[in-house]
Amino acid sequence: MYKSIHQFCENGIINLDNICAGFFEDPENIAGFVNGVKDEVLKFACEYISDAFEEMDVRIRQSPLRANDWVIVRRDTKPLLTSIGEIRFQKTLYKHRRTKERTYLLDRMLGIEEGARMTEDAEAQMLEEAVQTSYRKGGEAASILGDVSKGTVKNRLHKLEISKAEIPEEKKQVEYLYIDADEDHVPLQFFKKKGDIKPDSKGRKYNNVQVKLVYVYEGIEPESPGSDRYRLINPHYFSGVYEGKENETLWNEVAEYIEGHYDLENVRKIYLNADGGGWIKGIHRNGLPITEVLDEYHLNKYLTKMTSHLYDSADDGKQILRNSIRDDTKTGFKAVVEQIRSYAGDEDLKRIKEGENYITGNWMAAKIRMQKKTGVIGSSTEGHISHVLASRMSSRPLGWCKTGADRMGKLRAYYWNGGNMLDLVRYQKHWREEKRTEKKVYLSEILRSFERQHAPNGKYYDKLQHSIPAQTRKTLAIRGNLLLQ
């Protein structure tokens, strides 16, 4: 453990003095001075961490408890990328006397999975960058003094499992809840492997996938006092590639979140702002009291299509249609459409029919939008699709596979929910976390036993950590961890 400190005292300080002398000779090169000091200090930090790992390995090897069950096979030198740089350290391979299992007990104690090439802090930095920019930049951000390939970033992303939001002890009471839903069309390079996207009979390739976005929120509020810009109140996002029956999984996740976070007995309405897509209808199977409201963007798009042939009178035509949706029956609306159709040429009839079918197919949702009933607010799906998904996945010339699009959609939702990437990395080993929790409980009992023996009057546990010498704490920790292997 003290080897790195000794080396730094012998060589590191000399190197720092030389870097400083160079700065005195060229005082305008502040960047060179700062980077030189940074590299030297980070190099020492990597060596110090390596020493700590090797000391732990030595203490395991010297432990009588280890010798009871595990025999030494050999010692290996392994690299491991951390968020500050690559470390290299020796660790011992063991074989269990009875089961013949082979393992590095140091890896078990550190919670490092077999074959791991980076620590959780490096992986967290990698994901933090990759979710915002690209796989390549994510690989470069993994470590200050090192990086990983974009292929490594992609492979890690494909294996990600996203943790769910924790259920609060007390449910919120709100008068209205809102759900917005839409999708982003993300281009694919392939579905599962390269070359599996084939052209149809007309030579066209269906090479995109829908990444769904659903978010639940409690309303809107000004971004600041007097501001004309609004923001969502406590939004929570869900995203991913959900196809066919998988849409039920998405809506189950949404319903589970709502039921776990809100007191539904006090919610007057849950408004669903959407474009009326077929996959969105699946939410009604969850038993939530949902009232659909047609998305303003799509409604206006179809109204524009239906009246574009009226030229200067198009705005008047759209207003007549809006009034009809608001006040008339579906039959009355169709009569108004028929009047507008009488002014259309043959090339306009298809657009008018599409608009009529869309609005009548979502009649009550369109009527509620036009009537602006109490609690109904505008939809923000287009803006959120742009910010949450498209800015990373489809606004630039990128290509995905279906698994990558699904995981990135889920990771983007996790990021926008304020998720911590280090927590997410640790969640991947949640069963190891449970084991580590058991260890912590066991070790705390060992330390409390030590306290009872050596401090009869008793002290708080945090004070105890300072009262027991560091070397004794290390020995007790190694013993406790070995007992749980």
Side-chain angles (χ1 to χ4, degrees):
M1 187 68 182
Y2 299 105
K3 180 176 67 174
S4 58
I5 297 175
H6 179 71
Q7 289 177 345
F8 184 75
C9 290
E10 280 194 344
N11 303 316
I13 293 176
I14 295 174
N15 292 339
L16 287 175
D17 282 341
N18 288 330
I19 293 169
C20 188
F23 172 59
F24 272 63
E25 294 168 356
D26 184 12
E28 292 186 358
N29 187 16
I30 299 175
F33 176 55
V34 172
N35 287 329
V37 172
K38 179 187 71 175
D39 290 346
E40 192 65 34
V41 173
L42 288 175
K43 180 182 175 183
F44 163 68
C46 289
E47 291 172 350
Y48 186 83
I49 294 168
S50 297
D51 279 358
F53 284 12
E54 289 190 353
E55 182 187 2
M56 189 175 291
D57 187 72
V58 168
R59 287 176 177 272
I60 293 171
R61 197 166 64 250
Q62 293 174 344
S63 171
L65 275 176
R66 187 277 308 165
N68 290 339
D69 296 313
W70 299 89
V71 296
I72 298 172
V73 177
R74 65 173 184 269
R75 297 190 73 196
D76 297 314
T77 300
K78 298 291 182 181
L80 195 62
L81 187 68
T82 75
S83 59
I84 60 173
E86 184 182 75
I87 63 173
R88 301 185 70 86
F89 59 97
Q90 285 192 327
K91 59 182 180 179
T92 307
L93 179 66
Y94 297 95
K95 182 172 71 173
H96 197 275
R97 293 182 183 276
R98 186 179 67 260
T99 66
K100 308 304 179 185
E101 174 194 5
R102 291 187 173 215
T103 190
Y104 295 98
L105 290 178
L106 177 64
D107 284 354
R108 283 194 176 186
M109 199 167 291
L110 295 172
I112 297 176
E113 295 179 345
E114 184 178 354
R117 292 292 180 266
M118 70 178 76
T119 55
E120 58 190 18
D121 53 305
E123 188 172 346
Q125 286 190 177
M126 177 187 76
L127 293 176
E128 186 74 36
E129 183 64 35
V131 74
Q132 299 177 70
T133 55
S134 67
Y135 289 165
R136 179 181 63 81
K137 289 186 177 179
E140 293 172 353
S143 178
I144 297 174
L145 297 180
D147 57 24
V148 297
S149 69
K150 64 181 182 181
T152 298
V153 182
K154 182 194 75 172
N155 293 336
R156 193 67 187 108
L157 178 78
H158 284 196
K159 297 176 182 177
L160 272 183
E161 293 294 334
I162 307 298
S163 56
K164 295 182 179 181
E166 293 185 7
I167 303 298
E169 294 182 3
E170 186 174 344
K171 295 183 179 181
K172 290 184 179 180
Q173 295 191 4
V174 296
E175 191 173 8
Y176 294 99
L177 267 180
Y178 301 88
I179 305 172
D180 286 10
D182 205 350
E183 68 277 336
D184 187 23
H185 295 268
V186 173
L188 293 177
Q189 287 183 330
F190 52 88
F191 290 108
K192 293 184 178 180
K193 61 180 181 179
K194 292 184 178 180
D196 63 1
I197 297 178
K198 306 296 183 183
D200 60 18
S201 58
K202 296 182 180 180
R204 295 174 300 188
K205 287 185 177 182
Y206 180 73
N207 64 335
N208 70 71
V209 66
Q210 289 185 2
V211 181
K212 312 289 175 58
L213 176 66
V214 178
Y215 48 101
V216 178
Y217 57 105
E218 300 165 14
I220 58 176
E221 62 183 3
E223 288 188 349
S224 59
S227 174
D228 293 331
R229 295 176 62 86
Y230 287 82
R231 62 186 176 194
L232 305 184
I233 301 173
N234 296 325
H236 189 84
Y237 300 88
F238 305 83
S239 187
V241 176
Y242 297 87
E243 298 176 318
K245 292 184 178 180
E246 293 174 351
N247 287 311
E248 186 176 341
T249 301
L250 170 60
W251 290 121
N252 286 340
E253 291 174 4
V254 175
E256 182 181 334
Y257 174 82
I258 292 174
E259 291 167 350
H261 286 73
Y262 296 97
D263 182 0
L264 292 179
E265 292 184 0
N266 290 284
V267 176
R268 290 180 58 185
K269 289 278 188 181
I270 301 178
Y271 285 114
L272 170 63
N273 294 308
D275 62 5
W279 68 272
I280 295 170
K281 306 290 185 184
I283 192 173
H284 293 291
R285 292 192 288 271
N286 289 97
L288 295 175
I290 299 293
T291 299
E292 282 194 58
V293 184
L294 197 59
D295 174 76
E296 288 173 298
Y297 172 82
H298 291 89
L299 178 57
N300 287 330
K301 182 177 76 171
Y302 281 99
L303 290 175
T304 299
K305 281 186 174 184
M306 295 172 71
T307 57
S308 60
H309 64 285
L310 298 178
Y311 300 109
D312 291 344
S313 299
D315 288 342
D316 293 334
K318 281 190 282 189
Q319 190 57 50
I320 292 171
L321 288 172
R322 289 193 186 97
N323 293 341
S324 179
I325 295 170
R326 185 187 66 218
D327 302 325
D328 286 347
T329 63
K330 192 182 293 188
T331 301
F333 171 76
K334 289 184 176 182
V336 174
V337 173
E338 195 60 39
Q339 291 179 352
I340 290 177
R341 187 180 283 114
S342 65
Y343 297 98
D346 292 341
E347 68 278 8
D348 304 313
L349 295 178
K350 182 179 179 181
R351 293 198 308 272
I352 295 173
K353 188 61 178 176
E354 285 178 357
E356 179 184 10
N357 290 341
Y358 178 76
I359 293 171
T360 56
N362 297 280
W363 180 248
M364 288 309 299
K367 184 174 280 289
I368 292 172
R369 170 61 65 196
M370 289 294 97
Q371 290 176 342
K372 293 181 169 56
K373 291 188 174 182
T374 302
V376 173
I377 60 176
S379 169
S380 60
T381 53
E382 292 302 311
H384 278 80
I385 284 291
S386 175
H387 286 90
V388 178
L389 296 180
S391 62
R392 175 64 179 90
M393 302 185 69
S394 63
S395 63
R396 292 173 289 167
L398 299 172
W400 303 81
C401 68
K402 190 177 291 186
T403 299
D406 174 65
R407 294 301 189 275
M408 181 54 74
K410 287 179 167 59
L411 188 61
R412 290 286 292 180
Y414 180 83
Y415 172 78
W416 275 79
N417 287 333
N420 182 284
M421 292 301 168
L422 183 55
D423 290 341
L424 181 61
V425 170
R426 288 172 173 169
Y427 176 75
Q428 307 310 302
K429 304 179 292 184
H430 63 275
W431 64 272
R432 290 183 180 272
E433 284 297 309
E434 293 174 359
K435 192 172 183 180
R436 274 199 285 271
T437 300
E438 293 174 2
K439 291 179 181 180
K440 290 173 184 176
V441 172
Y442 184 84
L443 291 175
S444 67
E445 288 301 318
I446 293 176
L447 291 170
R448 288 192 183 97
S449 174
F450 188 95
E451 179 190 34
R452 285 192 292 271
Q453 294 175 33
H454 298 276
N457 295 328
K459 296 179 180 178
Y460 289 108
Y461 178 66
D462 57 348
K463 292 184 179 179
L464 174 64
Q465 293 230 14
H466 296 288
S467 64
I468 299 176
Q471 297 305 314
T472 304
R473 287 169 54 197
K474 291 176 182 178
T475 301
L476 289 172
I478 293 296
R479 177 181 174 81
N481 278 294
L482 282 173
L483 285 171
L484 290 166
Q485 296 304 320

